C-alpha cells in the first residue's frame, strides 16, 4: 500500500511542528522525563527507521512506547521475548480448519503499526532473525504466501545490557537494521522523586490523549523529506562513516587499533534522514552540522564493532565516535 501524498504549505508545516511539541507534553502526562528517548522514537517514526532501546529494567522503556502509540492513535502490539518463544509466535502460522478441510493463515502480532519487541535479546537467534524480513521489506511470509504489513510500520525493541544473565547478543545483520540504538539512562533525582510520588499515590491516574493521525504522520514524513542538506554536509556524513572503516587514513592510527568493523552504508543513509528530522523538529527547513553531530552517536554506536584490544583497554564505541566527531573536519 502506497502512502498517500499530502499537500500543504508553510501553515500546515507549522501546525505539524506544533503537534510534535504537544506529543511530548501528552506523553509527559504519563511518563516522567525521558524527552531524549521520546525524541529518538519520533525520529524513527517519521523517517521509517526502527529503534533499539537499551537500558536496565525499570526505566519506563515499555511504558513510553505504549503511551506514544496511544498518542499517535496507532495499532500497537507488545510481544515479550522469552527463551521459549517461536518464530510462529511472532509472524503467525498455518492452522487446519476442520470444517472447511483446508489450511488457513493465522496472523501473528507482527501485523500492527507499532511493534514493541520487549527484551528482544532474551530470545535465541532464530526468533530474533524472524524480525528481519518484516523490518527490511515491510512484509512477512507465512507458508507460500507473502503479506504486506500495514503502514506506518515501526519496530521498537528493548534490550537489557548484554552482560546481564539470560541474554543473547543480537546478530549483526539484525542490529544494523535498527536506525538508532538509544541508551536509556537513569532519571535525575528530581525526575525520580516525581516518579516515586506518582507511584506512591494509589489514586493517581493520567491518560494520554491522541494528537497525531496516520495522515499527519505521512504528511510529516514528506515535509522532513523536503528539508535541505548541503553538499558539504552530505560529504561530511560520508567522511564520518569512511573514517570509522579506515581510521588510519584520517590520521587516527590510535583508534584504528581498536576497530574491527566500521559502519555500514546504512549509517550514511540514516545520518542524513535523522539529521533532517532533528532540523524539522527544531522548526528549520535546512540541516546544520550540529544536527549531524547530535544524532551521530545513536546512528553509529551499534554499527562500529570493536575488537578484544578495545575491551581490554576499556575503550567503548562512544570513545571512538567522540574521536571521529573531533577529528573529521567540516569543509563548508
Amino acid at each position: 500500500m502506497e502512502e498517500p501524498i499530502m499537500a500543504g504549505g508553510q501553515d500546515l508545516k507549522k501546525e505539524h511542528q506544533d503537534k510534535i511539541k504537544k506529543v511530548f507534553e501528552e506523553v509527559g502526562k504519563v511518563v516522567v522525563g525521558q524527552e531524549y528517548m521520546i525524541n529518538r522514537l519520533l525520529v524513527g517514526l517519521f523517517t521509517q527507521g526502527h529503534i533499539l532501546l537499551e537500558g536496565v529494567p525499570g526505566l519506563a522503556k515499555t511504558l513510553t512506547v505504549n503511551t506514544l502509540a496511544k498518542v499517535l492513535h496507532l495499532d500497537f502490539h507488545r510481544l515479550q521475548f522469552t527463551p521459549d518463544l517461536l518464530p510462529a509466535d511472532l509472524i503467525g502460522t498455518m492452522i487446519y480448519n476442520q470444517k472447511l478441510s483446508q489450511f488457513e493463515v493465522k496472523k501473528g502480532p507482527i501485523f500492527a503499526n507499532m511493534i514493541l519487541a520487549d527484551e528482544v535479546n532474551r530470545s535465541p537467534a532464530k526468533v530474533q532473525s524472524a524480525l528481519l524480513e518484516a523490518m527490511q521489506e515491510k512484509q512477512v511470509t507465512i507458508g507460500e504466501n507473502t503479506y504486506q504489513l500495514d503502514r506506518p510500520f515501526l519496530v521498537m525493541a528493548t534490550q537489557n545490557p548484554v552482560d546481564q544473565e539470560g541474554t543473547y547478543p543480537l546478530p549483526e545483520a539484525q542490529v544494523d537494521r535498527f536506525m538508532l540504538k538509544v541508551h536509556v539512562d537513569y532519571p535525575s533525582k528530581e525526575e525520580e522523586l516525581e516518579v516515586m510520588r506518582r507511584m506512591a499515590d494509589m489514586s493517581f491516574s493520567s491518560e494520554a490523549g491522541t494528537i497525531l493521525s496516520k495522515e499527519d504522520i505521512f504528511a510529516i514524513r514528506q515535509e522532513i523529506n523536503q528539508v535541505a542538506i548541503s553538499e558539504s554536509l552530505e560529504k561530511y556524513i560520508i567522511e564520518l562513516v569512511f573514517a570509522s572503516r579506515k581510521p588510519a587514513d584520517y590520521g587516527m592510527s590510535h583508534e584504528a587499533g581498536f576497530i574491527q568493523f566500521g559502519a555500514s552504508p546504512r549509517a550514511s543513509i540514516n545520518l542524513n534522514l535523522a539529521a533532517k528530522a532533528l532540523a524539522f523538529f527544531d522548526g528549520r527547513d535546512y540541516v546544520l552540522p550540529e544536527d549531524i553531530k547530535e544524532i551521530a552517536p545513536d546512528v553509529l554506536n551499534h554499527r562500529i564493532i570493536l575488537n578484544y584490544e578495545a575491551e581490554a583497554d576499556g575503550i567503548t564505541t562512544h570513545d571512538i565516535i567522540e574521536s571521529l566527531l573531533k577529528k573529521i573536519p567540516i569543509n563548508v
Side-chain angles (χ1 to χ4, degrees):
M1 185 183 84
E2 294 292 330
E3 295 182 359
I5 297 178
M6 305 291 292
Q10 291 297 322
D11 291 342
L12 184 58
K13 184 183 297 184
K14 180 65 167 59
E15 179 184 336
H16 287 148
Q17 289 168 335
D18 291 340
K19 282 186 175 182
I20 290 173
K21 293 178 182 177
K22 290 181 181 178
V23 168
F24 283 88
E25 296 174 3
E26 205 65 26
V27 176
K29 292 180 180 179
V30 179
V31 181
V32 178
Q34 302 295 6
E35 288 85 0
Y36 170 76
M37 176 172 36
I38 299 167
N39 177 281
R40 297 308 191 251
L41 292 174
L42 290 176
V43 167
L45 175 68
F46 295 133
T47 57
Q48 305 185 66
H50 309 293
I51 308 296
L52 180 61
L53 304 172
E54 182 178 83
V56 298
L59 298 181
K61 300 186 296 294
T62 304
L63 177 63
T64 301
V65 175
N66 195 351
T67 305
L68 187 60
K70 293 178 181 178
V71 172
L72 300 176
H73 195 56
L74 296 175
D75 293 331
F76 171 76
H77 281 161
R78 173 185 178 274
L79 187 62
Q80 183 68 47
F81 277 55
T82 57
D84 60 347
L85 193 71
L86 299 174
D89 297 327
L90 177 66
I91 64 174
T93 188
M94 304 289 292
I95 60 173
Y96 187 71
N97 188 320
Q98 292 184 335
K99 291 184 178 180
L100 300 178
S101 299
Q102 63 184 27
F103 283 94
E104 295 179 345
V105 172
K106 178 177 175 59
K107 294 182 178 180
I110 196 73
F111 288 89
N113 298 124
M114 288 180 69
I115 299 297
L116 175 60
D118 213 358
E119 297 187 305
V120 66
N121 60 335
R122 291 207 179 277
S123 288
K126 183 181 290 187
V127 178
Q128 296 170 4
S129 62
L131 280 172
L132 288 179
E133 182 184 14
M135 292 172 63
Q136 185 65 23
E137 307 296 336
K138 308 295 192 298
Q139 65 183 27
V140 297
T141 301
I142 304 175
E144 298 180 353
N145 298 318
T146 299
Y147 300 89
Q148 296 294 322
L149 298 171
D150 293 338
R151 303 295 177 93
F153 175 74
L154 183 66
V155 173
M156 296 178 179
T158 70
Q159 73 170 9
N160 294 9
V162 293
D163 57 348
Q164 284 202 346
E165 185 178 350
T167 60
Y168 301 81
L170 296 176
E172 292 175 7
Q174 182 178 351
V175 172
D176 193 43
R177 282 172 168 78
F178 286 100
M179 179 184 196
L180 307 175
K181 179 183 176 184
V182 181
H183 177 70
V184 184
D185 208 348
Y186 287 105
S188 66
K189 289 182 180 180
E190 293 76 13
E191 290 171 346
E192 189 154 345
L193 177 63
E194 177 61 25
V195 171
M196 181 183 67
R197 286 171 174 169
R198 286 189 183 186
M199 296 300 102
D201 182 1
M202 291 184 289
S203 63
F204 176 81
S205 177
S206 182
E207 287 291 331
T210 301
I211 301 297
L212 292 175
S213 64
K214 288 185 181 180
E215 289 72 22
D216 289 327
I217 294 172
F218 296 143
I220 291 171
R221 285 181 173 179
Q222 292 191 17
E223 290 163 357
I224 289 175
N225 190 50
Q226 295 167 4
V227 172
I229 181 169
S230 67
E231 184 178 353
S232 62
L233 290 183
E234 289 179 331
K235 291 181 178 178
Y236 174 60
I237 289 174
I238 298 300
E239 293 298 312
L240 278 177
V241 174
F242 269 69
S244 76
R245 300 171 191 167
K246 298 182 178 180
D249 294 349
Y250 292 81
M252 301 173 64
S253 300
H254 178 68
E255 289 82 357
F258 301 125
I259 298 176
Q260 184 174 3
F261 298 108
S264 71
R266 285 194 182 96
S268 305
I269 299 168
N270 291 334
L271 273 172
N272 186 308
L273 289 170
K276 287 182 178 181
L278 290 185
F280 183 82
F281 292 174
D282 200 35
R284 287 178 280 109
D285 58 2
Y286 56 90
V287 174
L288 294 175
E290 289 73 20
D291 297 321
I292 299 172
K293 291 182 177 181
E294 179 183 341
I295 203 68
D298 298 318
V299 174
L300 298 175
N301 64 14
H302 55 303
R303 294 187 165 95
I304 297 176
I305 309 302
L306 304 185
N307 55 28
Y308 291 111
E309 286 80 1
E311 184 178 355
D313 289 2
I315 301 297
T316 66
T317 53
H318 177 78
D319 298 324
I320 300 297
I321 295 168
E322 190 174 354
S323 295
L324 290 172
L325 294 175
K326 284 181 179 178
K327 296 184 178 181
I328 305 303
I330 302 174
N331 298 316
V332 179

